[in-house]
Amino acid sequence: MSVSDNMKGAALMSGSMAGYTLNDACMKALAGDLPLSQAVFLRGVLTCVMLYALGLALRSLTFKLNRREWKLMLWRSVAEAGATYCFLSALFNMPIANVTAVLQALPLTIALAAWVFLKEPLGWRRLVAILVGFVGVIMIVQPGGDGFTAWSIYALVAVGFITFRDLVVRKMAPETPSMTVALVTAIVITVSFGVASFGVEWAPVNAWNGLVLFLSAVFIFIGYLFAVMVMRVGDIGFVAPFRYTGLIWALIIGLVLFNEWPGALTLAGASIVVATGLFTLLRERQLARRLKFED
């Protein structure tokens, strides 16, 4: 694997994280102007159109799947919808960097859940790293502290939903197109929030809100497009750690756009979570190489 390919992969992964984080910033900017269900529904309509167009362009859409795959896809979509609701609820009421910092625990929760429920191997070094990482999460959330609110629980529940979602993905057949999964998930989320918006009084969408919604859809589309592209270039073991650039983006955006900056304890906790997550990824890479060598 050439260095140039790895650098391209790192750039694409960083760009993907920037796209997702900018989408979060756009949605946060709509807080107080549009109800959550209305905002997600309108963004979802635009996102579905873009994903469908991308799928046609890449010729990577197929709906001829067996019942098992459709069932798994439905469970994944439900988990994604739950994660979207909890994450955006927290985002509307918390600093963007704090919410993003909590989500950095995902590599740890996924590795632990895969060990518990899917019987995937987990050595004592990674297990200790996960436990230390959870200490970092506690430092971010600060239960019982002045900065702790119910919205912190929403962020943690979002982590749970995303962890369940990724466990479901591991059970899906490799030949199931990721574009089909993404489009179906986007449709389920859009329809779900559209139905939820029936009981909510819609707010008028002015030119500014319309522009922010459009940008939100574009950014989340770019995030997904780059995430698809990154799987085709570079060594995933080299590229994966660049997921943590999302936290850097969140810190910058939070400061520049929302005048937010996490406290020292939150930053320390985020550093611990990132460090243990990087260690976990490094160990997985080493074990994968060892197994490949033994085979």
Side-chain angles (χ1 to χ4, degrees):
M1 188 62 63
S2 67
V3 175
S4 61
D5 282 342
N6 278 339
M7 289 298 101
K8 289 178 183 178
L12 287 170
M13 180 62 80
S14 300
S16 175
M17 293 301 101
Y20 286 131
T21 309
L22 286 167
N23 158 71
D24 296 340
C26 288
M27 294 300 290
K28 185 176 178 63
L30 293 172
D33 292 338
L34 300 179
L36 174 61
S37 56
Q38 178 187 354
V40 176
F41 171 74
L42 293 176
R43 182 195 67 176
V45 172
L46 295 172
T47 303
C48 288
V49 172
M50 292 179 184
L51 286 175
Y52 182 69
L54 176 62
L56 291 181
L58 297 177
R59 297 181 179 179
S60 57
L61 281 177
T62 181
F63 300 98
K64 296 180 180 179
L65 304 172
N66 59 44
R67 182 176 298 180
R68 176 183 179 274
E69 291 303 299
W70 278 110
K71 182 178 179 180
L72 290 173
M73 201 180 305
L74 177 61
W75 277 114
R76 184 194 184 280
S77 300
V78 170
E80 187 75 63
T84 299
Y85 171 76
C86 291
F87 174 77
L88 291 179
S89 295
L91 185 66
F92 277 24
N93 296 277
M94 291 175 61
I96 186 172
N98 290 47
V99 183
T100 305
V102 174
L103 262 63
Q104 303 313 304
L106 280 170
L108 307 177
T109 60
I110 292 169
L112 183 62
W115 175 56
V116 173
F117 298 106
L118 302 183
K119 309 302 179 183
E120 293 188 8
L122 184 65
W124 69 269
R125 293 180 181 86
R126 283 190 292 164
L127 185 57
V128 170
I130 289 171
L131 295 177
V132 174
F134 287 158
V135 173
V137 173
I138 293 174
M139 293 171 64
I140 297 169
V141 177
Q142 300 174 36
D146 295 336
F148 179 78
T149 66
W151 304 114
S152 303
I153 302 298
Y154 275 72
L156 292 173
V157 174
V159 171
F161 273 120
I162 298 173
T163 301
F164 176 72
R165 178 202 70 186
D166 283 9
L167 290 185
V168 171
V169 170
R170 295 191 183 202
K171 302 293 287 185
M172 298 179 72
E175 58 269 18
T176 300
S178 58
M179 281 302 309
T180 300
V181 176
L183 179 59
V184 170
T185 301
I187 291 173
V188 170
I189 291 174
T190 302
V191 172
S192 299
F193 280 87
V195 172
S197 70
F198 287 159
V200 178
E201 183 178 354
W202 278 39
V205 180
N206 56 34
W208 169 250
N209 291 337
L211 175 61
V212 174
L213 279 171
F214 175 75
L215 289 175
S216 177
V218 170
F219 286 137
I220 199 170
F221 172 77
I222 290 174
Y224 182 75
L225 175 61
F226 284 4
V228 171
M229 293 171 64
V230 78
M231 301 308 296
R232 301 181 180 183
V233 59
D235 179 358
I236 191 61
F238 178 87
V239 172
F242 285 87
R243 290 180 181 273
Y244 289 108
T245 58
L247 180 57
I248 298 175
W249 285 112
L251 288 168
I252 295 172
I253 291 171
L255 179 62
V256 174
L257 297 183
F258 303 106
N259 195 29
E260 300 171 346
W261 189 256
L265 190 60
T266 298
L267 289 173
S271 300
I272 292 173
V273 171
V274 170
T276 52
L278 288 172
F279 175 81
T280 301
L281 291 172
L282 177 62
R283 286 294 299 172
E284 288 179 355
R285 185 184 185 188
Q286 291 174 340
L287 291 174
R289 283 182 172 179
R290 186 183 304 171
L291 291 174
K292 183 178 180 180
F293 177 78
E294 291 176 353
D295 290 341

